[in-house]
Amino acid sequence: MVWKTAILGIIFYFLALLQVSFFSYFGVGAFGLNLLLIGVILINVFIQDAYLGFLSALAGGFFWDIFSSQFFGFHVLILMAIAVFVNLILKKYVRSPLN
């Protein structure tokens, strides 16, 4: 489990770097590509492990807060709320063929 945490940290570090340095210049109007949000949603949907989903939201929000100009903890709260919402929707409305 420790290696999964380290890999998630490294992945979200590089996603945050790409998002704030490279992809911030590409966008339509005020809308741009949000790699961290996409990463958190994909991990929560496809891995379906609540612990790894919340850990990915925590890592993504932490690195996004480090590289942003807003107050610290803003993006962590947003990504954690999205992770909770996705897990709630998956548990309540989606049936897995493995169960």
Side-chain angles (χ1 to χ4, degrees), residues 2 8 20 23 28 31-32 34 36 40 69 77 79 89 92 94:
V2 174
L8 275 177
V20 299
F23 287 113
V28 179
F31 300 106
N34 193 339
L36 296 170
V40 167
S69 61
L77 290 174
L79 290 180
I89 294 297
K92 193 166 189 167
V94 177

Side-chain angles (χ1 to χ4, degrees), residues 4-91:
K4 288 182 184 180
T5 306
I7 290 174
L8 275 177
I10 292 169
I11 288 172
F12 279 102
Y13 176 73
F14 285 115
L15 285 178
L17 277 177
L18 278 173
Q19 180 176 331
V20 299
S21 64
F22 184 69
F23 287 113
S24 63
Y25 296 109
F26 300 107
V28 179
F31 300 106
L33 183 63
N34 193 339
L35 296 174
L36 296 170
L37 178 65
I38 292 169
V40 167
I41 290 173
L42 288 177
I43 286 176
N44 279 299
V45 168
F46 289 118
I47 294 180
Q48 292 184 357
D49 182 14
Y51 176 73
L52 283 177
F54 296 140
L55 193 62
S56 69
L58 181 68
F62 175 74
F63 289 124
W64 196 3
D65 280 336
I66 286 176
F67 297 124
S68 73
S69 61
Q70 294 176 345
F71 68 91
F72 197 77
F74 178 72
H75 295 105
V76 172
L77 290 174
I78 289 174
L79 290 180
M80 289 293 281
I82 290 171
V84 168
F85 180 71
V86 168
N87 280 323
L88 178 75
I89 294 297
L90 287 174
K91 285 184 182 179

